[in-house]
Coordinates of all heavy atoms in Angstrom, one line a residue:
M1 N 39.7 -18.6 -5.5 CA 39.0 -17.3 -5.2 C 39.1 -16.4 -6.4 O 40.1 -16.3 -7.1 CB 39.7 -16.7 -3.9 CG 39.2 -15.3 -3.6 SD 39.8 -14.7 -2.0 CE 38.3 -15.1 -1.1
F2 N 38.1 -15.6 -6.6 CA 38.0 -14.7 -7.7 C 39.1 -13.7 -7.7 O 39.7 -13.4 -8.8 CB 36.6 -13.9 -7.7 CG 36.5 -12.9 -8.7 CD1 36.3 -13.2 -10.0 CD2 36.5 -11.6 -8.4 CE1 36.2 -12.3 -11.0 CE2 36.4 -10.6 -9.3 CZ 36.2 -10.9 -10.6
I3 N 39.5 -13.1 -6.6 CA 40.5 -12.1 -6.5 C 41.9 -12.6 -7.1 O 42.6 -11.9 -7.8 CB 40.7 -11.5 -5.1 CG1 39.5 -10.7 -4.8 CG2 41.9 -10.7 -4.9 CD1 39.4 -10.2 -3.4
K4 N 42.2 -13.8 -6.8 CA 43.4 -14.4 -7.3 C 43.5 -14.4 -8.9 O 44.5 -14.5 -9.5 CB 43.7 -15.8 -6.8 CG 44.0 -15.8 -5.3 CD 44.3 -17.1 -4.7 CE 44.6 -17.0 -3.3 NZ 44.8 -18.4 -2.7
K5 N 42.3 -14.4 -9.5 CA 42.2 -14.4 -10.9 C 42.2 -13.0 -11.5 O 42.2 -12.9 -12.8 CB 41.0 -15.2 -11.4 CG 41.0 -16.7 -11.0 CD 39.8 -17.4 -11.4 CE 39.8 -18.8 -11.0 NZ 38.6 -19.5 -11.4
A6 N 42.2 -12.0 -10.7 CA 42.1 -10.6 -11.2 C 43.4 -10.3 -12.0 O 44.5 -10.6 -11.5 CB 42.0 -9.6 -10.0
A7 N 43.2 -9.8 -13.2 CA 44.4 -9.5 -14.0 C 45.4 -8.5 -13.4 O 46.5 -8.5 -13.7 CB 43.9 -8.9 -15.4
A8 N 44.9 -7.7 -12.4 CA 45.7 -6.7 -11.8 C 46.9 -7.4 -11.0 O 48.0 -6.8 -10.9 CB 44.9 -5.9 -10.9
I9 N 46.7 -8.6 -10.5 CA 47.7 -9.2 -9.7 C 48.9 -9.6 -10.5 O 50.0 -9.1 -10.2 CB 47.1 -10.4 -8.9 CG1 46.1 -9.9 -7.9 CG2 48.2 -11.2 -8.2 CD1 45.3 -10.9 -7.2
P10 N 48.8 -10.4 -11.6 CA 50.0 -10.7 -12.4 C 50.6 -9.5 -13.1 O 51.8 -9.5 -13.4 CB 49.5 -11.8 -13.3 CG 48.1 -11.7 -13.4 CD 47.6 -11.1 -12.1
A11 N 49.7 -8.5 -13.4 CA 50.2 -7.3 -14.1 C 51.0 -6.4 -13.2 O 51.7 -5.5 -13.6 CB 49.0 -6.6 -14.7
G12 N 51.0 -6.6 -11.9 CA 51.7 -5.8 -10.9 C 51.1 -4.4 -10.7 O 51.7 -3.5 -10.3
A13 N 49.8 -4.4 -10.9 CA 49.0 -3.1 -10.7 C 49.1 -2.7 -9.3 O 49.1 -3.5 -8.4 CB 47.6 -3.2 -11.2
K14 N 48.9 -1.4 -9.1 CA 48.9 -0.8 -7.7 C 47.4 -0.6 -7.3 O 47.2 -0.5 -6.1 CB 49.6 0.6 -7.7 CG 51.0 0.5 -8.1 CD 51.8 -0.2 -7.0 CE 53.3 -0.2 -7.4 NZ 54.0 -1.2 -6.7
C15 N 46.5 -0.6 -8.2 CA 45.1 -0.5 -7.8 C 44.2 -1.2 -8.9 O 44.6 -1.4 -10.0 CB 44.7 1.0 -7.7 SG 44.7 1.9 -9.2
I16 N 43.0 -1.5 -8.4 CA 41.9 -2.0 -9.2 C 40.8 -0.9 -9.2 O 40.4 -0.5 -8.1 CB 41.3 -3.3 -8.7 CG1 42.4 -4.4 -8.8 CG2 40.1 -3.7 -9.4 CD1 42.0 -5.7 -8.1
V17 N 40.4 -0.4 -10.4 CA 39.4 0.7 -10.4 C 38.1 0.0 -10.7 O 37.9 -0.6 -11.7 CB 39.8 1.7 -11.5 CG1 38.8 2.8 -11.6 CG2 41.2 2.3 -11.3
I18 N 37.2 0.1 -9.7 CA 35.9 -0.6 -9.8 C 34.9 0.1 -8.9 O 35.2 0.6 -7.8 CB 36.1 -2.1 -9.3 CG1 34.9 -2.9 -9.5 CG2 36.6 -2.2 -7.9 CD1 35.1 -4.4 -9.5
W19 N 33.7 0.1 -9.3 CA 32.6 0.7 -8.5 C 32.3 -0.2 -7.3 O 32.0 0.2 -6.2 CB 31.3 1.0 -9.3 CG 31.4 2.3 -10.1 CD1 31.4 2.4 -11.4 CD2 31.5 3.6 -9.6 NE1 31.5 3.7 -11.8 CE2 31.6 4.5 -10.6 CE3 31.6 4.1 -8.3 CZ2 31.7 5.8 -10.5 CZ3 31.7 5.5 -8.1 CH2 31.8 6.3 -9.2
N20 N 32.2 -1.5 -7.6 CA 31.8 -2.5 -6.6 C 32.9 -2.9 -5.7 O 33.4 -4.0 -5.9 CB 31.1 -3.7 -7.3 CG 30.2 -4.5 -6.4 OD1 30.1 -4.1 -5.2 ND2 29.6 -5.5 -6.9
I21 N 33.3 -2.1 -4.8 CA 34.5 -2.3 -4.0 C 34.3 -3.6 -3.1 O 35.3 -4.3 -2.9 CB 34.7 -1.1 -3.0 CG1 35.0 0.2 -3.8 CG2 35.8 -1.3 -2.0 CD1 36.4 0.2 -4.4
K22 N 33.1 -3.9 -2.8 CA 32.9 -5.1 -1.9 C 33.4 -6.4 -2.5 O 33.6 -7.4 -1.9 CB 31.4 -5.2 -1.4 CG 30.5 -5.5 -2.5 CD 29.1 -5.6 -2.0 CE 28.1 -6.0 -3.2 NZ 26.8 -6.1 -2.8
D23 N 33.5 -6.4 -3.9 CA 34.0 -7.6 -4.5 C 35.5 -7.8 -4.3 O 36.0 -8.9 -4.7 CB 33.7 -7.5 -6.0 CG 32.2 -7.7 -6.4 OD1 31.5 -8.2 -5.5 OD2 31.8 -7.4 -7.5
F24 N 36.1 -6.8 -3.9 CA 37.6 -6.9 -3.7 C 37.9 -6.4 -2.2 O 38.4 -5.3 -2.0 CB 38.3 -6.0 -4.7 CG 38.2 -6.5 -6.1 CD1 37.1 -6.1 -6.9 CD2 39.1 -7.4 -6.6 CE1 36.9 -6.6 -8.2 CE2 38.9 -7.9 -7.9 CZ 37.8 -7.5 -8.7
P25 N 37.7 -7.2 -1.2 CA 38.0 -6.9 0.2 C 39.4 -6.4 0.4 O 40.4 -7.0 -0.1 CB 37.7 -8.1 1.0 CG 36.9 -9.0 0.0 CD 37.3 -8.6 -1.4
Q26 N 39.6 -5.3 1.1 CA 40.9 -4.6 1.2 C 41.8 -5.6 2.0 O 43.0 -5.6 1.7 CB 40.7 -3.3 2.0 CG 42.0 -2.5 2.0 CD 42.4 -2.1 0.6 OE1 41.6 -1.8 -0.3 NE2 43.7 -2.1 0.3
N27 N 41.3 -6.3 2.9 CA 42.2 -7.2 3.7 C 42.9 -8.3 2.8 O 44.0 -8.7 3.1 CB 41.5 -7.8 4.9 CG 40.4 -8.7 4.5 OD1 39.7 -8.5 3.5 ND2 40.1 -9.7 5.3
I28 N 42.2 -8.7 1.8 CA 42.7 -9.7 0.8 C 43.7 -9.0 -0.2 O 44.8 -9.4 -0.5 CB 41.6 -10.4 0.1 CG1 40.9 -11.3 1.1 CG2 42.2 -11.3 -1.0 CD1 39.7 -12.0 0.6
L29 N 43.2 -7.8 -0.7 CA 44.0 -7.1 -1.6 C 45.4 -6.7 -1.0 O 46.4 -6.6 -1.7 CB 43.3 -5.8 -2.1 CG 42.1 -6.1 -3.0 CD1 41.4 -4.8 -3.4 CD2 42.5 -6.8 -4.3
Q30 N 45.4 -6.4 0.3 CA 46.7 -6.0 0.9 C 47.8 -7.1 0.8 O 48.9 -6.7 0.7 CB 46.4 -5.7 2.4 CG 45.7 -4.3 2.6 CD 45.4 -4.1 4.0 OE1 45.3 -5.0 4.8 NE2 45.1 -2.8 4.3
Q31 N 47.4 -8.3 0.7 CA 48.3 -9.4 0.5 C 49.1 -9.2 -0.8 O 50.2 -9.7 -1.0 CB 47.6 -10.7 0.5 CG 46.9 -11.1 1.7 CD 46.0 -12.3 1.5 OE1 46.3 -13.2 0.7 NE2 44.9 -12.4 2.3
Y32 N 48.5 -8.5 -1.8 CA 49.1 -8.3 -3.1 C 49.5 -6.9 -3.3 O 49.9 -6.5 -4.4 CB 48.1 -8.7 -4.2 CG 47.6 -10.1 -4.0 CD1 46.3 -10.4 -3.4 CD2 48.4 -11.2 -4.5 CE1 45.9 -11.7 -3.3 CE2 47.9 -12.5 -4.3 CZ 46.7 -12.7 -3.7 OH 46.2 -14.0 -3.6
T33 N 49.4 -6.1 -2.2 CA 49.7 -4.6 -2.3 C 49.0 -3.9 -3.4 O 49.5 -3.1 -4.1 CB 51.3 -4.3 -2.3 OG1 51.8 -4.9 -3.6 CG2 52.0 -4.9 -1.2
I34 N 47.7 -4.2 -3.5 CA 46.8 -3.6 -4.4 C 45.7 -2.9 -3.7 O 45.2 -3.5 -2.7 CB 46.2 -4.6 -5.4 CG1 47.3 -5.3 -6.2 CG2 45.2 -4.0 -6.3 CD1 46.8 -6.4 -7.2
E35 N 45.2 -1.8 -4.1 CA 44.1 -1.1 -3.5 C 42.9 -1.1 -4.5 O 43.1 -0.8 -5.7 CB 44.6 0.4 -3.2 CG 43.5 1.3 -2.7 CD 43.9 2.7 -2.6 OE1 45.0 3.1 -3.1 OE2 43.1 3.5 -2.0
A36 N 41.7 -1.3 -4.0 CA 40.5 -1.1 -4.8 C 40.1 0.3 -4.6 O 40.1 0.9 -3.5 CB 39.4 -2.0 -4.3
I37 N 39.8 1.0 -5.7 CA 39.5 2.4 -5.7 C 38.4 2.7 -6.7 O 38.3 2.1 -7.8 CB 40.7 3.2 -6.1 CG1 40.5 4.7 -6.0 CG2 41.3 2.9 -7.4 CD1 41.7 5.6 -6.1
K38 N 37.4 3.5 -6.3 CA 36.3 3.8 -7.2 C 36.7 4.8 -8.3 O 37.7 5.6 -8.1 CB 35.2 4.5 -6.3 CG 34.5 3.5 -5.4 CD 33.4 4.1 -4.7 CE 32.7 3.0 -3.8 NZ 31.5 3.5 -3.1
P39 N 36.1 4.7 -9.4 CA 36.5 5.5 -10.6 C 36.6 7.0 -10.3 O 37.5 7.7 -10.8 CB 35.5 5.2 -11.7 CG 35.0 3.8 -11.3 CD 35.0 3.7 -9.8
D40 N 35.6 7.5 -9.6 CA 35.6 9.0 -9.3 C 36.8 9.4 -8.5 O 37.5 10.4 -8.8 CB 34.3 9.4 -8.7 CG 34.0 8.7 -7.4 OD1 34.5 7.6 -7.1 OD2 33.2 9.3 -6.6
R41 N 37.2 8.6 -7.5 CA 38.3 8.9 -6.7 C 39.6 8.7 -7.5 O 40.6 9.5 -7.4 CB 38.4 8.0 -5.5 CG 39.5 8.3 -4.5 CD 39.3 7.6 -3.2 NE 40.6 7.6 -2.6 CZ 41.3 6.5 -2.2 NH1 40.7 5.3 -2.3 NH2 42.5 6.6 -1.6
F42 N 39.7 7.7 -8.4 CA 40.8 7.5 -9.2 C 41.1 8.7 -10.1 O 42.2 9.2 -10.2 CB 40.6 6.2 -10.0 CG 41.8 5.9 -11.0 CD1 43.0 5.4 -10.5 CD2 41.6 6.1 -12.3 CE1 44.0 5.1 -11.3 CE2 42.7 5.8 -13.2 CZ 43.9 5.3 -12.7
I43 N 40.0 9.2 -10.8 CA 40.2 10.3 -11.7 C 40.6 11.5 -10.9 O 41.4 12.3 -11.3 CB 38.9 10.5 -12.5 CG1 38.7 9.3 -13.5 CG2 38.9 11.8 -13.3 CD1 37.4 9.3 -14.2
D44 N 40.0 11.7 -9.7 CA 40.4 12.8 -8.9 C 41.9 12.8 -8.5 O 42.6 13.8 -8.6 CB 39.6 12.9 -7.5 CG 38.2 13.3 -7.7 OD1 37.8 13.8 -8.8 OD2 37.4 13.0 -6.8
Q45 N 42.4 11.6 -8.3 CA 43.8 11.5 -8.0 C 44.7 11.8 -9.2 O 45.7 12.4 -9.1 CB 44.1 10.1 -7.4 CG 43.6 9.9 -6.0 CD 43.9 8.5 -5.4 OE1 44.4 7.7 -6.1 NE2 43.6 8.4 -4.2
L46 N 44.2 11.3 -10.4 CA 44.9 11.6 -11.6 C 44.9 13.1 -11.9 O 45.9 13.7 -12.3 CB 44.3 10.9 -12.8 CG 44.4 9.4 -12.9 CD1 43.6 8.9 -14.1 CD2 45.9 9.0 -13.0
F47 N 43.8 13.7 -11.5 CA 43.7 15.2 -11.8 C 44.7 15.9 -10.9 O 45.3 16.9 -11.3 CB 42.3 15.6 -11.4 CG 41.9 16.9 -12.1 CD1 41.4 16.9 -13.4 CD2 42.0 18.1 -11.4 CE1 41.0 18.1 -14.0 CE2 41.6 19.3 -12.1 CZ 41.1 19.3 -13.4
L48 N 44.9 15.5 -9.7 CA 45.9 16.1 -8.8 C 47.3 15.9 -9.3 O 48.2 16.8 -9.2 CB 45.9 15.5 -7.4 CG 44.6 15.9 -6.6 CD1 44.6 15.1 -5.3 CD2 44.5 17.4 -6.3
I49 N 47.6 14.8 -10.0 CA 48.9 14.5 -10.5 C 49.2 15.3 -11.8 O 50.3 15.9 -12.0 CB 49.1 13.0 -10.8 CG1 49.0 12.2 -9.5 CG2 50.3 12.7 -11.6 CD1 48.9 10.7 -9.7
D50 N 48.2 15.3 -12.7 CA 48.4 16.0 -14.0 C 47.1 16.5 -14.6 O 46.4 15.8 -15.4 CB 49.1 15.0 -15.0 CG 49.7 15.8 -16.2 OD1 49.2 16.9 -16.5 OD2 50.6 15.2 -16.8
K51 N 46.7 17.6 -14.2 CA 45.4 18.2 -14.6 C 45.3 18.3 -16.1 O 44.2 18.0 -16.7 CB 45.2 19.6 -13.9 CG 44.0 20.3 -14.2 CD 44.0 21.7 -13.5 CE 42.7 22.4 -13.7 NZ 42.6 23.6 -12.9
E52 N 46.3 18.8 -16.8 CA 46.3 18.9 -18.2 C 46.1 17.6 -19.0 O 45.4 17.6 -20.0 CB 47.5 19.7 -18.7 CG 47.6 21.1 -18.2 CD 46.4 21.9 -18.5 OE1 45.9 21.9 -19.6 OE2 45.9 22.6 -17.6
K53 N 46.7 16.5 -18.5 CA 46.5 15.2 -19.1 C 45.0 14.8 -19.0 O 44.4 14.2 -19.9 CB 47.4 14.2 -18.5 CG 48.8 14.3 -19.0 CD 49.0 13.8 -20.4 CE 50.4 13.8 -20.8 NZ 50.6 13.6 -22.2
V54 N 44.4 15.0 -17.8 CA 43.0 14.7 -17.6 C 42.1 15.5 -18.5 O 41.2 15.0 -19.2 CB 42.6 14.8 -16.1 CG1 41.1 14.5 -16.0 CG2 43.4 13.8 -15.3
K55 N 42.4 16.8 -18.7 CA 41.6 17.6 -19.6 C 41.8 17.1 -21.0 O 40.9 17.1 -21.8 CB 42.1 19.1 -19.5 CG 41.6 19.8 -18.2 CD 42.0 21.2 -18.2 CE 41.5 22.0 -17.0 NZ 41.8 23.4 -17.1
E56 N 43.0 16.7 -21.4 CA 43.3 16.2 -22.7 C 42.5 14.9 -22.9 O 42.0 14.7 -24.0 CB 44.8 16.0 -22.8 CG 45.2 15.5 -24.2 CD 46.7 15.2 -24.3 OE1 47.5 16.0 -23.6 OE2 47.1 14.3 -25.0
A57 N 42.5 14.1 -21.9 CA 41.7 12.8 -22.1 C 40.2 13.1 -22.3 O 39.6 12.4 -23.1 CB 41.9 11.9 -20.8
F58 N 39.7 14.1 -21.5 CA 38.3 14.5 -21.7 C 38.1 14.9 -23.1 O 37.1 14.5 -23.8 CB 37.9 15.5 -20.7 CG 36.5 16.1 -20.9 CD1 35.4 15.4 -20.4 CD2 36.3 17.2 -21.6 CE1 34.1 15.9 -20.6 CE2 35.0 17.7 -21.8 CZ 33.9 17.0 -21.3
T59 N 38.9 15.8 -23.6 CA 38.8 16.3 -25.0 C 38.9 15.2 -26.0 O 38.1 15.1 -27.0 CB 39.9 17.4 -25.3 OG1 39.7 18.4 -24.3 CG2 39.8 17.9 -26.7
N60 N 39.9 14.3 -25.8 CA 40.0 13.1 -26.7 C 38.7 12.3 -26.7 O 38.3 11.8 -27.8 CB 41.2 12.3 -26.4 CG 42.5 13.0 -26.7 OD1 42.6 13.9 -27.4 ND2 43.6 12.5 -26.1
Q61 N 38.2 12.1 -25.5 CA 36.9 11.3 -25.4 C 35.8 12.0 -26.2 O 35.0 11.4 -26.9 CB 36.5 11.1 -23.9 CG 35.3 10.3 -23.7 CD 35.3 8.9 -24.2 OE1 36.4 8.2 -24.0 NE2 34.3 8.4 -24.8
L62 N 35.7 13.3 -26.0 CA 34.7 14.1 -26.7 C 34.8 13.9 -28.2 O 33.8 13.7 -28.9 CB 34.8 15.5 -26.2 CG 33.8 16.5 -26.8 CD1 32.4 16.1 -26.4 CD2 34.1 17.9 -26.4
Y63 N 36.0 14.1 -28.7 CA 36.2 14.1 -30.2 C 36.1 12.7 -30.7 O 36.0 12.5 -32.0 CB 37.5 14.8 -30.6 CG 37.4 16.2 -30.3 CD1 38.4 16.9 -29.7 CD2 36.3 17.0 -30.7 CE1 38.4 18.3 -29.4 CE2 36.2 18.4 -30.5 CZ 37.3 19.0 -29.9 OH 37.2 20.3 -29.6
S64 N 36.3 11.6 -29.9 CA 36.2 10.3 -30.4 C 34.8 9.7 -30.5 O 34.6 8.7 -31.1 CB 37.1 9.4 -29.6 OG 36.5 9.1 -28.3
T65 N 33.8 10.4 -29.9 CA 32.5 9.9 -30.0 C 32.0 10.1 -31.4 O 32.2 11.1 -32.0 CB 31.5 10.6 -29.0 OG1 31.5 12.0 -29.3 CG2 32.0 10.4 -27.6
K66 N 31.3 9.1 -32.0 CA 30.9 9.1 -33.4 C 29.5 8.8 -33.6 O 28.8 9.4 -34.4 CB 31.8 8.1 -34.2 CG 33.3 8.5 -34.3 CD 34.0 7.6 -35.2 CE 35.4 7.8 -35.3 NZ 36.2 8.8 -34.8
N67 N 28.9 7.8 -32.9 CA 27.6 7.4 -33.2 C 26.8 7.2 -31.9 O 26.8 6.1 -31.4 CB 27.6 6.1 -34.0 CG 26.3 5.8 -34.6 OD1 25.4 6.6 -34.6 ND2 26.2 4.6 -35.1
P68 N 26.2 8.2 -31.4 CA 26.1 9.5 -31.9 C 27.3 10.4 -31.5 O 27.9 10.2 -30.5 CB 24.8 10.1 -31.3 CG 24.8 9.4 -30.0 CD 25.4 8.0 -30.2
K69 N 27.5 11.4 -32.3 CA 28.5 12.5 -31.9 C 27.9 13.2 -30.7 O 26.8 13.6 -30.7 CB 28.7 13.4 -33.1 CG 29.7 14.4 -32.9 CD 31.1 13.8 -32.9 CE 32.2 14.9 -32.8 NZ 33.4 14.3 -32.2
L70 N 28.7 13.4 -29.7 CA 28.3 14.0 -28.5 C 28.8 15.4 -28.4 O 29.9 15.7 -28.8 CB 28.8 13.2 -27.2 CG 28.3 11.8 -27.0 CD1 28.9 11.2 -25.8 CD2 26.8 11.7 -27.0
S71 N 28.0 16.3 -27.8 CA 28.4 17.6 -27.5 C 29.1 17.6 -26.1 O 29.0 16.6 -25.4 CB 27.2 18.6 -27.4 OG 26.4 18.3 -26.2
E72 N 29.8 18.6 -25.8 CA 30.5 18.6 -24.4 C 29.5 18.5 -23.3 O 29.7 17.7 -22.4 CB 31.3 20.0 -24.3 CG 32.1 20.0 -23.0 CD 33.0 21.2 -23.0 OE1 33.4 21.7 -24.0 OE2 33.3 21.6 -21.8
D73 N 28.3 19.2 -23.5 CA 27.3 19.1 -22.4 C 26.7 17.6 -22.3 O 26.5 17.1 -21.2 CB 26.1 20.0 -22.7 CG 26.5 21.5 -22.5 OD1 27.4 21.7 -21.7 OD2 25.8 22.3 -23.0
Q74 N 26.6 16.9 -23.4 CA 26.1 15.6 -23.4 C 27.1 14.6 -22.7 O 26.7 13.8 -21.9 CB 25.8 15.1 -24.8 CG 24.6 15.7 -25.5 CD 24.5 15.4 -26.9 OE1 25.5 15.4 -27.7 NE2 23.3 15.0 -27.4
L75 N 28.4 14.8 -23.0 CA 29.4 14.0 -22.4 C 29.4 14.3 -20.9 O 29.6 13.4 -20.1 CB 30.8 14.2 -23.0 CG 31.9 13.4 -22.5 CD1 31.6 11.9 -22.5 CD2 33.2 13.7 -23.2
I76 N 29.3 15.5 -20.5 CA 29.3 15.9 -19.1 C 28.1 15.2 -18.4 O 28.3 14.7 -17.3 CB 29.3 17.4 -18.9 CG1 30.7 18.0 -19.3 CG2 28.9 17.8 -17.5 CD1 30.7 19.5 -19.3
K77 N 27.0 15.2 -19.0 CA 25.8 14.6 -18.4 C 26.0 13.1 -18.2 O 25.6 12.5 -17.2 CB 24.5 14.8 -19.3 CG 24.0 16.2 -19.1 CD 22.8 16.5 -20.0 CE 22.4 17.9 -19.9 NZ 21.3 18.3 -20.8
I78 N 26.7 12.5 -19.2 CA 27.0 11.0 -19.1 C 28.0 10.8 -17.9 O 27.8 9.9 -17.1 CB 27.6 10.5 -20.4 CG1 26.5 10.4 -21.5 CG2 28.2 9.1 -20.2 CD1 27.0 10.2 -22.9
L79 N 29.0 11.6 -17.8 CA 29.9 11.5 -16.7 C 29.2 11.7 -15.3 O 29.5 10.9 -14.4 CB 31.1 12.5 -16.8 CG 32.0 12.2 -18.0 CD1 33.0 13.4 -18.2 CD2 32.7 10.9 -17.8
I80 N 28.3 12.6 -15.3 CA 27.6 12.8 -14.0 C 26.7 11.6 -13.7 O 26.6 11.2 -12.6 CB 26.8 14.2 -14.1 CG1 27.7 15.4 -14.1 CG2 25.7 14.2 -13.0 CD1 27.1 16.7 -14.4
K81 N 26.0 11.1 -14.7 CA 25.2 10.0 -14.6 C 26.0 8.8 -14.1 O 25.5 8.0 -13.3 CB 24.5 9.6 -15.9 CG 23.6 8.4 -15.8 CD 22.9 8.1 -17.2 CE 22.1 6.9 -17.1 NZ 21.6 6.5 -18.4
N82 N 27.2 8.7 -14.5 CA 28.1 7.6 -14.1 C 28.9 7.9 -12.9 O 30.0 7.3 -12.6 CB 29.0 7.2 -15.3 CG 28.2 6.4 -16.3 OD1 27.8 5.3 -16.1 ND2 27.9 7.1 -17.4
R83 N 28.5 9.0 -12.2 CA 29.1 9.4 -10.9 C 30.5 9.8 -11.0 O 31.3 9.6 -10.1 CB 29.0 8.3 -9.8 CG 27.5 7.9 -9.6 CD 27.4 6.8 -8.6 NE 27.7 5.5 -9.2 CZ 27.8 4.4 -8.6 NH1 27.5 4.3 -7.3 NH2 28.1 3.2 -9.2
I84 N 30.9 10.5 -12.1 CA 32.2 11.0 -12.2 C 32.1 12.6 -12.1 O 32.7 13.3 -12.9 CB 32.9 10.6 -13.6 CG1 32.8 9.1 -13.8 CG2 34.3 11.1 -13.6 CD1 33.6 8.3 -12.9
S85 N 31.3 13.1 -11.2 CA 31.0 14.5 -11.2 C 32.1 15.3 -10.6 O 32.2 16.5 -11.0 CB 29.7 14.7 -10.5 OG 29.7 14.2 -9.2
N86 N 32.9 14.8 -9.7 CA 34.0 15.6 -9.1 C 34.9 16.2 -10.2 O 35.3 17.3 -10.2 CB 34.8 14.8 -8.1 CG 34.0 14.6 -6.8 OD1 33.0 15.3 -6.6 ND2 34.5 13.7 -6.0
M87 N 35.2 15.3 -11.2 CA 36.1 15.7 -12.3 C 35.5 16.9 -13.0 O 36.2 17.8 -13.5 CB 36.3 14.6 -13.2 CG 37.3 15.0 -14.3 SD 37.3 13.8 -15.7 CE 35.7 14.1 -16.5
I88 N 34.2 16.9 -13.2 CA 33.5 18.0 -14.0 C 33.8 19.3 -13.3 O 34.1 20.3 -14.0 CB 32.0 17.8 -14.1 CG1 31.7 16.4 -14.7 CG2 31.3 18.9 -14.8 CD1 32.3 16.2 -16.1
Y89 N 33.7 19.4 -12.0 CA 33.9 20.7 -11.3 C 35.4 21.0 -11.5 O 35.8 22.2 -11.6 CB 33.6 20.6 -9.8 CG 32.1 20.2 -9.6 CD1 31.7 19.1 -9.0 CD2 31.1 21.1 -10.1 CE1 30.4 18.7 -8.9 CE2 29.8 20.8 -9.9 CZ 29.4 19.6 -9.3 OH 28.1 19.3 -9.2
D90 N 36.3 20.0 -11.4 CA 37.7 20.3 -11.6 C 38.1 20.8 -13.0 O 38.9 21.6 -13.1 CB 38.5 19.0 -11.2 CG 38.5 18.6 -9.8 OD1 38.2 19.5 -8.9 OD2 38.7 17.5 -9.5
L91 N 37.4 20.2 -14.0 CA 37.7 20.6 -15.3 C 37.3 22.1 -15.6 O 38.0 22.8 -16.3 CB 36.9 19.8 -16.3 CG 37.4 18.4 -16.6 CD1 36.4 17.6 -17.4 CD2 38.7 18.4 -17.3
N92 N 36.3 22.6 -14.8 CA 35.9 24.0 -15.0 C 36.7 25.0 -14.2 O 36.5 26.2 -14.3 CB 34.4 24.1 -14.7 CG 33.6 23.4 -15.8 OD1 33.9 23.4 -16.9 ND2 32.5 22.8 -15.4
S93 N 37.5 24.5 -13.2 CA 38.3 25.4 -12.4 C 39.6 25.7 -13.1 O 40.1 25.0 -13.9 CB 38.5 24.7 -11.0 OG 39.5 23.7 -11.2
D94 N 40.1 26.8 -12.7 CA 41.4 27.3 -13.3 C 42.6 27.1 -12.3 O 43.7 27.5 -12.6 CB 41.3 28.8 -13.6 CG 40.4 29.0 -14.8 OD1 40.3 28.1 -15.7 OD2 39.7 30.1 -14.8
S95 N 42.3 26.4 -11.2 CA 43.4 26.2 -10.2 C 44.3 25.1 -10.6 O 44.0 24.3 -11.4 CB 42.9 26.0 -8.9 OG 42.0 25.0 -8.8

């Protein structure tokens, strides 16, 4: 079975971050104590744990773009297009 070959299992991961959750049925993942989680939810959880690290990661991503060099607005549009929009609202909040 495909799930048994997932690198997360031998690595001892707590979750698999993937958009296509149906490829990793929860009842099977529970056997390995792994949770399948969508990227937007994963980033939201990271944001709750350490908002400053997530902001730092965003800044690092922004400055690491080279070809083409992206503006902050362009990177935000890419994140929204890739359904990571909750983080965008969180980045702009001061709470």
Side-chain angles (χ1 to χ4, degrees):
M1 172 173 262
F2 175 71
I3 290 178
K4 290 182 181 178
K5 295 180 182 178
I9 293 169
K14 300 291 181 199
C15 67
I16 294 173
V17 181
I18 186 167
W19 280 116
N20 199 2
I21 298 287
K22 68 180 182 180
D23 286 345
F24 294 88
Q26 193 60 36
N27 62 330
I28 295 173
L29 290 177
Q30 286 175 340
Q31 298 171 29
Y32 304 99
T33 62
I34 298 175
E35 175 187 10
I37 185 171
K38 292 184 177 185
D40 58 339
R41 185 168 159 236
F42 179 74
I43 292 172
D44 287 344
Q45 289 179 355
L46 290 177
F47 204 84
L48 290 172
I49 295 168
D50 194 338
K51 181 178 184 175
E52 293 308 312
K53 284 285 186 189
V54 174
K55 286 183 174 185
E56 182 181 327
F58 174 82
T59 301
N60 290 343
Q61 179 66 41
L62 179 62
Y63 291 131
S64 71
T65 62
K66 293 185 182 355
N67 192 12
K69 183 74 176 151
L70 298 177
S71 69
E72 186 172 330
D73 286 340
Q74 290 171 314
L75 181 55
I76 287 171
K77 285 179 184 175
I78 290 169
L79 292 171
I80 290 170
K81 180 180 177 187
N82 287 287
R83 300 180 283 177
I84 310 290
S85 55
N86 288 345
M87 182 196 70
I88 301 307
Y89 300 116
D90 291 339
L91 283 171
N92 291 323
S93 73
D94 290 327
S95 57

